[in-house]
Amino acid sequence: MTPEKSEKRPTQDLDYEPVKKMEIPAEPEKSETSPPLAGKSPSFIAKVTNLVKLVESWPMVAHLIRATERFNDRMGNQFGAAITYFSFLSMIPILMVSFAAAGFVLASHPTLLQDIFNKILNNVSDPTLATTLKGTIKTAVEQRTTVGIVGLAIALYSGINWMGNLREAIRAQSRDVWERSAQDEEKIWVKYFRDFISLIGLLVALIITLSITSVAGSAQQMIISALYLDYIEWLKPAWRLIGLAISILANFLLFFWIFWRLPRHRPRKKALIRGTFIAAIGFEVIKIIMTYTLPSLVKSPSGAAFGSVLGLMAFFYFFARLTLFCAAWIATAQYKGDRRMPGKTHY
């Protein structure tokens, strides 16, 4: 009997050991199912990251990112503020020249001068303010030659410096390397002469732009009146769109001259045309916004004192930022088969 009992004990031990082995893996199953959200968060973040990378890989978005990075890395905001500062200072000698021109006109028309004095006395209730205005106008008439010559000289000097700052800011965005090279250094008389020629060219381009806009607007009104189309209401939006297109075309000519003439090297053709078109549309948007916001600023007493100054500074600032950003856009463009504009290239 003893041998049989001794043979059964190993079998019981063998039966008992598999039971322990089956119970052991039961605990890891609970631990695997306990944190259900831990596996989903990395996949969600990965999906968002892949989506962002996909959007950034689009050619237009990638181009926008490159232009923004260049604009920020090459101090586009600081250059824009500097251009705004010099633009505002340049207005002072321009006002001096305007006062001198008004003085020459009033000196040759004494009746008109007396009418202005009478309107001041009738419309200004404060006698001290009226006396001050009369004295200012009389001084402008008497010292018109001195004010005109001094104002013209200061305007020429400040205008050349303004053009130099605008040129350096656009060159900083346009050249391949941020630092200046030895070829970028110029003699001071060459620099001032070049900036003077560029200033004259910019004034000519600005006069052409304003002439196209004004002539198109007056011709449009003359055509409507000549054809007796004033009573047709649905034609007015069409004529406004035509006028808007003409204004954008005039802006295009102005910015095309800036981006083609001011950098030291000739930009690529497709990039220049597309970047100039963006600048023309942006500048028209700025003009429309300023047209509707400035009258509302002048209505309040504080706006009447500072609204025009703040509006003028905002206009210069947005113009400078738009110009420099479009210069960075043109410099970072990557179009297939895009050749440079004809002309001598400098680096």
Side-chain angles (χ1 to χ4, degrees):
M1 299 294 293
T2 53
E4 293 178 357
K5 291 182 180 179
S6 61
E7 290 177 357
K8 289 181 180 179
R9 286 179 182 176
T11 57
Q12 290 178 357
D13 295 335
L14 292 172
D15 293 337
Y16 180 72
E17 288 177 359
V19 173
K20 289 183 178 180
K21 290 180 180 179
M22 292 177 64
E23 291 177 357
I24 289 172
E27 295 180 356
E29 290 179 359
K30 294 181 180 180
S31 62
E32 289 178 358
T33 57
S34 58
L37 298 176
K40 292 185 179 180
S41 56
S43 62
F44 176 75
I45 295 174
K47 288 180 180 179
V48 173
T49 305
N50 293 331
L51 180 61
V52 171
K53 291 181 179 179
L54 178 62
V55 173
E56 290 179 351
S57 64
W58 293 349
M60 183 166 290
V61 177
H63 189 185
L64 179 62
I65 293 173
R66 291 196 307 271
T68 305
E69 289 177 351
R70 175 173 286 223
F71 178 82
N72 293 327
D73 293 340
R74 302 194 176 188
M75 302 176 66
N77 294 315
Q78 288 80 1
F79 275 117
I83 293 172
T84 304
Y85 173 75
F86 287 107
S87 300
F88 190 75
L89 286 183
S90 299
M91 295 299 297
I92 297 175
I94 292 174
L95 291 175
M96 293 176 65
V97 176
S98 301
F99 273 112
F104 279 105
V105 173
L106 294 176
S108 58
H109 296 81
T111 306
L112 179 61
L113 179 61
Q114 187 62 38
D115 292 339
I116 292 175
F117 286 159
N118 293 333
K119 288 182 179 180
I120 290 174
L121 294 175
N122 293 329
N123 296 325
V124 178
S125 58
D126 189 1
T128 304
L129 180 60
T131 305
T132 303
L133 290 175
K134 287 181 63 177
T136 303
I137 296 173
K138 188 178 293 185
T139 303
V141 174
E142 293 175 352
Q143 301 180 1
R144 57 188 181 276
T145 304
T146 305
V147 173
I149 293 174
V150 173
L152 185 61
I154 298 175
L156 184 62
Y157 176 76
S158 61
I160 291 174
N161 285 325
W162 178 86
M163 177 55 63
N165 290 313
L166 180 62
R167 180 196 294 275
E168 291 299 326
I170 291 178
R171 285 180 179 178
Q173 299 293 333
S174 301
R175 55 175 173 254
D176 296 334
V177 183
W178 163 241
E179 292 82 7
R180 285 185 179 182
S181 61
Q183 296 179 355
D184 290 329
E185 299 296 333
E186 295 177 336
K187 294 182 179 180
I188 187 168
W189 66 270
V190 176
K191 178 181 178 297
Y192 276 105
F193 181 74
R194 188 190 297 272
D195 292 337
F196 174 74
I197 298 299
S198 299
L199 180 63
I200 299 300
L202 181 62
L203 291 176
V204 172
L206 186 61
I207 291 172
I208 293 174
T209 300
L210 296 176
S211 300
I212 291 174
T213 305
S214 60
V215 169
S218 59
Q220 176 182 350
Q221 188 62 36
M222 289 176 60
I223 292 172
I224 293 175
S225 301
L227 297 177
Y228 299 100
L229 299 177
D230 297 331
Y231 63 93
I232 302 178
E233 295 294 332
W234 62 270
L235 278 178
K236 292 182 179 180
W239 286 110
R240 289 176 182 174
L241 289 177
I242 294 173
L244 181 63
I246 294 173
S247 181
I248 292 175
L249 176 62
N251 297 338
F252 181 88
L253 296 176
L254 177 63
F255 282 100
F256 184 85
W257 186 90
I258 291 174
F259 295 137
W260 174 73
R261 183 67 182 85
L262 294 186
R264 291 187 67 88
H265 66 280
R266 293 291 178 258
R268 300 187 180 276
K269 186 176 181 180
K270 291 181 182 179
L272 176 61
I273 293 175
R274 296 181 185 183
T276 305
F277 186 68
I278 294 173
I281 295 177
F283 189 57
E284 191 63 28
V285 171
I286 291 173
K287 290 192 293 184
I288 292 173
I289 293 175
M290 297 301 295
T291 301
Y292 285 101
T293 55
L294 279 179
S296 60
L297 289 175
V298 180
K299 290 181 180 178
S300 62
S302 59
F306 303 104
S308 58
V309 176
L310 295 177
L312 190 62
M313 293 182 67
F315 176 78
F316 285 138
Y317 183 61
F318 289 131
F319 167 78
R321 285 176 58 90
L322 175 68
T323 304
L324 298 181
F325 181 81
C326 290
W329 175 279
I330 294 171
T332 55
Q334 297 176 358
Y335 302 125
K336 293 182 179 179
D338 192 5
R339 298 180 179 180
R340 293 193 180 276
M341 294 290 291
K344 190 175 180 181
T345 302
H346 303 277
Y347 286 102

